[in-house]
Amino acid sequence: MTAQQGVPRPDEIVDFYDLAGPAFSAVWDGNFHLGYWFDENDQASIPEATDRLTDLVLDRLQVGPGDRVLDVGCGIGKPAVRLAERTGAEVVGISNNQGQVDQANVRAAEAGLAGRVRFEYADAMAQPFADAEFDAVFALESIIHMDRPVALAEMARTLRPGGRLVLTDMIETAPEGSDEPTVAESAFGATDFVRLPRIAAYRELLPAAGLEVVELLDITQHTQHTMLRLGPDIAQVHAHVQERVGAAADELLKRVMVSISGAARIGYMIGVARRPR
Ligand code: SAH
């Protein structure tokens, strides 16, 4: 695969989660994704709000007992275990971070679900699975680290005809034609970076991967609150990382932040697609 300019290499993403993962778990939650808040007065805790976002994704999979589901970019397995508990489906989760895979397998075993939930090391952009192996596929806040067309093509390939793909992604929400600088430029001084897609770009990205669009939902208003909650925690994550590895980590963290900041106004979406029969 050819590397996109300004996109961290997969091995840098692995290093990033090695560094930041334990800190995320310590100050945030076992869900490595944003929370969903109804409004600014919503007092939900972080675990509650992040589980809500998980549920918005899981409910859209429409799976039940006997279905096999692939979790692309599984983190430490909290969403996959939740899916198995809530639906009775079988889940295979993949991550390119071996430490996460190990932690996720421990989580499944502790939940008594080792027979039905399994995690393995794999690259989402070159999946070790046969065509049409899964009844449904989801990617919860993981495509942000991938070459989107390549990753979507792989998700479509391993999904059976008639099966659903549900994903979340970060998007550009500034008005079309606006010349505001991106956060990558204004906050990180970056000159070489990939722009986040607009939600409308998914009307082309999904069909290009051989998928039909079912639903594209902008939930920016509900997830933005995460940033307020995360504000003080980000400093703690940074302190944890500094403590463990020192300033050498700064460049890596910056590269990963730049790769998810290529928008003037960073928003968030849920997308649902179906592989045609
Ligand atoms: N879906 C999980 C984790 C989201 S964090 C959750 O919501 O909790 C992003 C995840 O994508 C991490 O697990 C990271 O290791 C994984 N990831 C990033 N690039 C990947 C790739 N090329 N192949 C497989 N996993 C990848």
Side-chain angles (χ1 to χ4, degrees), residues 17 32-33 73-75 95-96 100 122-125 140-142 146:
Y17 280 100
F32 290 178
H33 59 244
C74 60
S95 170
N96 61 354
Q100 289 177 359
D123 183 353
M125 293 181 284
L140 181 39
E141 214 167 305
S142 58
M146 299 170 194

Side-chain angles (χ1 to χ4, degrees), residues 161-190:
R164 284 177 156 229
L165 166 68
V166 183
L167 59 81
T168 70
D169 199 358
M170 291 180 162
I171 51 172
E172 170 67 89
T173 59
E176 199 85 50
S178 115
D179 57 4
E180 291 171 51
T182 63
V183 176
E185 292 160 293
S186 60
F188 299 103

